[in-house]
């Protein structure tokens, strides 16, 4: 595969979406062709699955949620991500397989050892597509939740409050510690510009190492 697959992960309210747009713009200014996408989503069907799975009025157990995320991911990889990567583009994606490991895995009570099954399911859904680089936006959930409240957005997970966010923070930290080559933790507590600078440093460092 000729392109480069970069994912942004982290807690709700960490500012991933804003940061993803900024990073994409800066990379375009550097002359790269960049595709922005998100999960769940990125294709028409996957966006419909997103609406279903994030609707907190629909009670869904953890297995059903997992399978919906994986169905959306399979579509997304097949129709958008793999073609863009094969065309040599940089793909920036807001969440991917690590979110399933964090939300439906560790934060749902599974141990690191028990993630094996979810890892296999991710591999099945993506036909083995793994990000080249994953930036995990990290910070104190209390601080990040204040920002989220200011945005006024809630979904199934955000409604579960601070306790879940602390579990997610530990989950993403554990995942990053297990794969330090691929996953980098970025401090998301600073200003938008500071976080952007840290993200660009992470991406540019990676691009330099690739050359
Ligand atoms: P977003 O708010 O970052 O766009 O993400 C949507 C929500 O979906 C977020 O609360 C995390 C959740 N999610 C999972 O639980 N599992 C997954 O595999 C993905 C991709 C997202």
């Amino acid at each position: 595969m000729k392109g480069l697959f970069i994912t942004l992960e982290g807690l709700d309210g960490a500012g991933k979406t804003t940061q993803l747009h900024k990073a994409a713009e800066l990379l375009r200014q550097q002359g790269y062709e960049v595709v922005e996408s998100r999960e769940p989503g990125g294709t028409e069907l996957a966006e419909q699955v997103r609406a279903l799975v994030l609707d907190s009025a629909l009670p869904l157990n953890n297995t059903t949620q997992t399978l919906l995320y994986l169905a959306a991911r399979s579509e997304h990889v097949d129709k958008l991500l793999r073609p863009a990567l094969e065309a040599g583009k940089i793909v920036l994606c807001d969440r991917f397989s690590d979110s399933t490991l964090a939300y439906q895995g560790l934060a749902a009570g599974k141990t690191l050892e028990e993630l094996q099954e979810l890892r296999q399911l991710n591999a099945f859904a993506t036909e083995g597509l793994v990000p080249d680089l994953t930036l995990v936006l990290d910070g104190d959930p209390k601080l990040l939740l204040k920002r989220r409240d200011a945005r006024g957005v809630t979904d199934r997970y955000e409604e579960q409050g601070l306790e879940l966010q602390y579990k997610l923070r530990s989950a993403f930290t554990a995942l990053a510690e297990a794969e330090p080559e691929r996953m980098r933790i970025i401090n998301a507590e600073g200003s938008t510009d500071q976080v952007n600078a840290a993200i660009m440093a992470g991406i540019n460092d990676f691009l330099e190492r690739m050359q």
Side-chain angles (χ1 to χ4, degrees):
M1 198 111 53
K2 291 173 278 167
L4 194 66
F5 185 27
I6 302 174
T7 57
L8 250 62
E9 294 280 2
L11 303 181
D12 300 306
K16 282 181 293 89
T17 311
T18 313
Q19 291 296 343
L20 189 119
H21 288 315
K22 276 187 169 280
E25 276 312 309
L26 290 171
L27 287 169
R28 286 187 189 110
Q29 284 168 23
Q30 286 175 226
Y32 294 102
E33 264 197 276
V34 183
V35 171
E36 296 171 55
S37 198
R38 69 171 181 181
E39 288 220 343
T43 69
E44 201 179 328
L45 184 140
E47 290 291 337
Q48 287 183 23
V49 173
R50 179 185 179 95
L52 267 181
V53 77
L54 296 184
D55 180 356
S56 52
L58 283 176
L60 299 177
N61 69 30
N62 192 39
T63 305
T64 308
Q65 287 176 49
T66 304
L67 293 171
L68 287 170
Y69 286 116
L70 293 171
R73 182 160 306 136
S74 166
E75 263 284 301
H76 191 207
V77 168
D78 187 42
K79 302 245 167 71
L80 193 144
L81 300 180
R82 219 178 265 285
L85 291 168
E86 274 165 6
K89 295 179 182 162
I90 293 186
V91 176
L92 287 185
C93 191
D94 188 341
R95 298 196 184 281
F96 194 62
S97 300
D98 295 303
S99 276
T100 307
L101 301 180
Y103 281 79
Q104 283 70 50
L106 296 174
K110 292 187 200 292
T111 63
L112 271 174
E113 292 69 42
E114 287 166 353
L115 288 191
Q116 198 46 30
E117 186 181 39
L118 277 183
R119 289 188 190 280
Q120 280 168 359
L121 288 168
N122 268 330
F124 174 69
T126 62
E127 293 185 12
L129 180 66
V130 175
D132 298 297
L133 174 68
T134 297
L135 301 171
V136 178
L137 300 199
D138 174 69
D140 182 345
K142 257 192 208 146
L143 200 114
L144 302 182
L145 278 189
K146 267 196 205 144
R147 290 190 197 158
R148 178 214 69 180
D149 290 345
R151 276 195 350 251
V153 183
T154 54
D155 65 28
R156 178 185 303 282
Y157 308 98
E158 292 174 333
E159 281 179 1
Q160 292 175 45
L162 208 51
E163 198 190 330
L164 175 65
Q165 298 302 319
Y166 278 108
K167 283 188 196 159
L168 287 165
R169 186 182 197 189
S170 312
F172 280 115
T173 307
L175 293 174
E177 280 168 2
E179 282 187 78
E181 275 296 304
R182 173 173 70 86
M183 298 179 78
R184 276 186 175 223
I185 296 198
I186 302 281
N187 179 356
E189 289 183 357
S191 67
T192 308
D193 286 347
Q194 284 167 335
V195 180
N196 174 249
I199 289 176
M200 293 314 293
I203 295 178
N204 283 322
D205 176 54
F206 183 80
L207 290 170
E208 273 165 31
R209 279 193 286 129
M210 295 281 296
Q211 278 159 12

